[in-house]
Amino acid sequence: MYLRIKQLEKTFGGQRVLHPTNFAVTQGQVLSVLGRSGSGKTTLLKIIAGLEEPDRGEVFLDNSPITTWSPQKRGIVYLYQEPLLFPHLTVRENIGFGLSLRRVSTPDISRRVDEMIQHLELEGQAEKMPDQLSGGQRQRVAFGRALIINPKVLLLDEPFAALDSQTRGQMQQLFKKMAARHGITALFVTHDLKEALIMGDQLAVIRKGHWRLYEDRESFMRDPETGVQDELAFWEQWRS
Amino acid sequence: MRRLQRIILLVLVLFPFVFMLGLSLGRDWGYPRLIPATWTLEHWSSLMSGGNGLGASLILSLGLSFSVSVLATGLSFWGSRLVAYHPRRNLFLRAAYFPYVFAPVILGACLQYFFIVSGLYGKLGGVLTAQLFITIPYGLLYFSSFWNTRRKAMEELVYTLGGNTWQAYRKVLLPTARPAILTCFFQLFLISWFEYGLTQLIGVGKVDTLTLQVFQYVTESNIFLAALASVLLILPPVILLWLNKRYLFRLNTEYTTP
């Protein structure tokens, strides 16, 4: 297993936000995590990214314990719900940001950014400033900025939550395409049931800090706690 | 009609400046004359030659205010980040109001003993330190709203993308804070530039800033030199206001954060 979480726990101000959590993600797979607000999913992602310290437990990446590693050393990129583009940089500079941090040569950055812009279908937008882009375009730039550095793991915290349903659908397709092209290992957190099913190769639910990983899609759909049965019943009543 | 209103407004705004400038060029203005009897460049040439000490005061004030505003802006920007993400943030921010709740002069009086003991009393370094006591809290309060969850998320993003703290500051935090830093710098410069009570108290008249000189000439009834000092006193703020209008408006609209 590529990313492995072992007995991870976290408490804030006397309240336990993450109960002992164990799971693993295979390399090149996307694990969809279904969870409502306050379920502890953001805390879990931040611990994996190295932005929060766990009270107990371990994080392993490619069999190496990385719990004490700094975020810079982990190669795990955490994407927020908002694209968080740097407002003083153009689309090109935003996408190439991670490469410039690594002091990659300017011609190399330029070539790789051009390729990424093409993959993201953002041709003609390279010199624009973030405030000149639509919501979907900004999210694409945020993806490009993360993917261009070839992260070991991508953590996505409800990245499409702020988008309208049509753009959301387009972005889901784009992400699936990019994930396949780049062989991305990712944790995709969402509160949207359909999105969880579309995006994930594996499925899990987090509720009030309790984690449950499903063996397959069938067991996820059968479990009444995921809400799939309620959704099916809802549509069934309209059919009858 | 609107044109007339504009002219009246312009005259009202410019009159004090023009009047002061005119007065600095006058001599022998006795009652009942409406204007000075003679016009001369004597005061201005004395300024250039260093005769009246105003030139030295101008340089001293510029150096002092520039140093205070650079130091206070830098320290308060750095300190405000520590305060903003501290669990006891509200306590620190409330404490930053102290110099203004008590008034700077009272703060100076409370700290006077420490300035005497440390040998800073009546020294330029003492005045500079005293002014930092009021400008740094102002800067802390000014920057407190800059550090929000969005800014923190941006900083964390830099870290997960592989950047260190220095790179986060250099490539993201400082460029996005540029308009706020410039505005804070201007405001702190003005606070220091017009500071009277604290400078008088800690400097004990040995640190002759331009603001102190103006009051000195007024109390001496030396209206021509007081006018000259006033013209010099108002020039840097006018230049700052012009720079503010010319550059900061553009920067503020540039960095809308999507």
Side-chain angles (χ1 to χ4, degrees), chain B residues 71-90:
Chain B
L71 278 171
T73 305
L75 288 170
S76 56
F77 183 74
W78 171 76
S80 62
R81 183 183 171 277
L82 299 179
V83 169
Y85 301 145
H86 196 276
R88 309 192 82 172
R89 173 180 192 268
N90 289 337

Side-chain angles (χ1 to χ4, degrees), chain B residues 122-183:
Chain B
K123 303 255 174 65
L124 179 63
V127 173
L128 189 142
T129 310
Q131 289 196 359
L132 287 178
F133 274 100
I134 55 165
T135 46
I136 289 177
Y138 183 93
L140 281 178
L141 293 168
Y142 178 87
F143 285 123
S144 63
S145 59
F146 176 79
W147 303 104
N148 48 33
T149 48
R150 187 188 171 84
R151 203 74 57 179
K152 192 173 186 195
M154 257 187 200
E155 194 181 334
E156 288 174 347
L157 183 66
V158 176
Y159 299 148
T160 64
L161 287 170
N164 55 33
T165 311
W166 165 240
Q167 286 173 317
Y169 265 93
R170 195 169 62 86
K171 287 181 175 275
V172 174
L173 296 175
L174 285 172
T176 53
R178 201 153 54 128
I181 288 173
L182 279 175
T183 308

Side-chain angles (χ1 to χ4, degrees), chain A residues 158-208:
Chain A
E158 304 204 46
F160 309 139
L163 302 176
D164 62 80
S165 60
Q166 197 187 345
T167 314
R168 193 174 183 146
Q170 289 168 355
M171 287 304 296
Q172 287 165 352
Q173 292 313 312
L174 179 79
F175 178 76
K176 293 284 281 181
K177 203 166 83 178
M178 295 294 278
R181 190 198 297 266
H182 293 265
I184 297 168
T185 308
L187 248 79
F188 192 104
V189 163
T190 177
H191 64 266
D192 187 293
L193 184 59
K194 278 177 272 181
E195 190 166 73
L197 281 162
I198 293 168
M199 305 307 292
D201 302 307
Q202 293 172 273
L203 292 154
V205 166
I206 186 166
R207 184 174 289 123
K208 290 178 182 169

Side-chain angles (χ1 to χ4, degrees), chain A residues 46 49 51 71-72 76-78 80 82 84-88 97-98 100-103 130-131 138 145-146 149, chain B residues 150 152-154 156-165 167-168 170-172 175-176 253-258:
Chain A
K46 286 200 165 186
L51 300 169
Q72 293 86 345
I76 297 176
V77 177
Y78 177 57
Y80 293 76
E82 278 186 82
L84 287 179
L85 300 187
F86 303 126
H88 58 295
F97 186 81
S100 70
L101 291 177
R102 287 163 175 73
R103 294 189 172 79
D131 61 350
R138 283 180 204 158
R145 183 176 58 185
I149 60 166
Chain B
R150 187 188 171 84
K152 192 173 186 195
M154 257 187 200
E156 288 174 347
L157 183 66
V158 176
Y159 299 148
T160 64
L161 287 170
N164 55 33
T165 311
Q167 286 173 317
R170 195 169 62 86
K171 287 181 175 275
V172 174
T176 53
T253 48
E254 237 174 50
Y255 295 154
T256 47
T257 48

Side-chain angles (χ1 to χ4, degrees), chain A residues 9-124:
Chain A
E9 279 182 66
K10 183 72 183 176
T11 303
F12 279 124
Q15 194 184 351
R16 184 173 279 193
V17 287
L18 202 60
H19 290 267
T21 300
N22 296 284
F23 68 89
V25 187
T26 315
Q27 190 166 16
Q29 298 269 291
V30 176
L31 169 63
S32 269
V33 184
L34 186 67
R36 295 199 183 107
S37 300
S39 58
K41 51 189 171 31
T42 299
T43 306
L44 174 67
L45 294 191
K46 286 200 165 186
I47 291 172
I48 298 171
L51 300 169
E52 288 279 356
E53 274 183 39
D55 296 335
R56 263 180 293 280
E58 286 265 33
V59 180
F60 295 90
L61 185 65
D62 206 7
N63 291 322
S64 303
I66 60 162
T67 322
T68 54
W69 290 13
S70 68
Q72 293 86 345
K73 211 178 156 194
R74 294 185 187 208
I76 297 176
V77 177
Y78 177 57
L79 288 181
Y80 293 76
Q81 187 176 324
E82 278 186 82
L84 287 179
L85 300 187
F86 303 126
H88 58 295
L89 302 179
T90 61
V91 166
R92 172 180 293 283
E93 289 163 339
N94 261 288
I95 294 176
F97 186 81
L99 296 177
S100 70
L101 291 177
R102 287 163 175 73
R103 294 189 172 79
V104 176
S105 69
T106 312
D108 201 16
I109 293 178
S110 188
R111 182 183 55 77
R112 286 164 71 176
V113 169
D114 283 340
E115 273 174 27
M116 187 56 75
I117 284 174
Q118 212 178 350
H119 293 162
L120 295 164
E121 296 156 23
L122 281 170
E123 291 95 339

